[in-house]
Amino acid sequence: MKQPIKYPYLPEGRSIEYVDAAHPFMVLAKEYARVQSLDGVVPTAAVIVQDGVVIGKGANGSDYHKTHQCQRVILGCKTGEGYELCEGCHPKNHSEPKAIQDANQKGYETKGADLYLWGHWWCCEPCWDVMIKAGIKNVFLLNESETLFNKEHPANIVGRQFVEAL
């Protein structure tokens, strides 16, 4: 039996679901990350789906790190901590809030929608807060994402996300 995943953060009463790499919304999220993410190390993308229709997309990153050092790296922050200390890492630059913002700007209601996130193995507290406020019902990650996208796991594919056959 598979051991439960110990996420750095998971709100009480919430869970994460998993889909395989061939799932159409996960395929779309992966391609959106490949094309749109501005994060060269951990590109991610979120796709929001309401009644089988994609209503919003968002990719992580900003161009801040091209000209500035990451304050989180300088300070040795742990995964999931100190996002507010670095403009480039700020939660406003995460895939989940960007996808929600995209849906809202297009006039879509996100209450009851599902979010598919490619390129990460958990969602940070600020992203969960935004998703809960937006009424996101389910969050889906890629099967085995806790291995594939966890920088601390020896079998991760970080830096090779688009080279590996997923």
Side-chain angles (χ1 to χ4, degrees):
M1 181 172 197
K2 188 174 178 177
Q3 293 293 322
I5 298 168
K6 293 182 181 178
Y7 305 104
Y9 179 77
L10 183 67
E12 189 172 327
R14 297 305 296 246
S15 63
I16 294 176
E17 306 296 325
Y18 291 87
V19 296
D20 66 32
H23 189 285
F25 297 129
M26 194 57 72
V27 169
L28 182 60
K30 178 183 179 181
E31 181 60 15
Y32 200 75
R34 188 184 70 74
V35 173
Q36 297 294 325
S37 176
L38 297 175
D39 189 317
V41 178
V42 185
T44 70
V47 172
I48 298 177
V49 178
Q50 182 77 275
D51 299 322
V53 176
V54 175
I55 62 170
K57 295 184 274 188
N60 69 326
S62 74
D63 58 5
Y64 181 84
H65 291 133
K66 288 182 181 180
T67 55
H68 299 85
Q69 283 190 294
C70 177
Q71 291 302 305
R72 293 179 64 241
V73 170
I74 292 168
L75 296 171
C77 295
K78 294 179 184 176
T79 295
E81 295 179 2
Y83 292 129
E84 71 284 355
L85 301 173
C86 178
E87 179 61 26
C89 297
H90 194 280
K92 70 182 178 187
N93 295 319
H94 293 191
S95 300
E96 303 95 322
K98 283 185 168 185
I100 292 166
Q101 181 180 24
D102 181 55
N104 291 336
Q105 286 175 341
K106 293 176 179 173
Y108 290 106
E109 170 61 49
T110 56
K111 185 175 183 184
D114 296 328
L115 185 141
Y116 293 79
L117 177 63
W118 188 90
H120 214 339
W121 68 280
W122 66 288
C123 302
C124 68
E125 185 173 357
C127 287
W128 270 113
D129 291 346
V130 169
M131 290 188 293
I132 291 168
K133 184 177 179 183
I136 296 296
K137 182 179 175 185
N138 298 302
V139 175
F140 294 91
L141 299 180
L142 181 66
N143 282 331
E144 305 300 324
S145 60
E146 71 278 9
T147 298
L148 298 170
F149 305 120
N150 182 348
K151 291 186 228 178
E152 296 177 11
H153 196 285
N156 77 61
I157 61 165
V158 174
R160 305 181 315 276
Q161 292 93 319
F162 303 110
V163 177
E164 300 291 326
L166 293 179

